[in-house]
């Protein structure tokens, strides 16, 4: 079970980082958000999910 949980957190963090990278915020802000997700994988993801920048979702 630990492996599945770790893999799930890893995939969600990659998704968060990709979304942050594609957002329209300034570069410094992107770096800070990405560092938060990398340093605190679960907590950083949760903070990003509720308060972080989103990628460009308009088509």
């Amino acid at each position: 079970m630990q492996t599945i949980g770790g893999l799930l957190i890893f995939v969600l963090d990659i998704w968060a980082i990709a979304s942050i990278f594609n957002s329209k915020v300034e570069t410094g802000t992107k770096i800070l958000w990405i560092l938060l997700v990398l340093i605190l994988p679960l907590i950083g993801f949760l903070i990003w999910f509720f308060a972080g920048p989103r990628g460009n979702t308009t088509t």
Side-chain angles (χ1 to χ4, degrees), residues 10-49:
F10 177 74
V11 169
L12 290 174
D13 284 348
I14 295 298
W15 173 54
I17 291 169
S19 182
I20 294 165
F21 186 74
N22 290 325
S23 69
K24 293 183 179 183
V25 297
E26 296 180 9
T27 303
T29 304
K30 288 181 185 183
I31 291 171
L32 291 175
W33 276 108
I34 290 171
L35 285 174
L36 178 68
V37 171
L38 289 175
I39 293 171
L40 302 169
L42 179 59
I43 296 170
F45 171 78
L46 291 174
I47 294 170
W48 167 81
F49 187 77

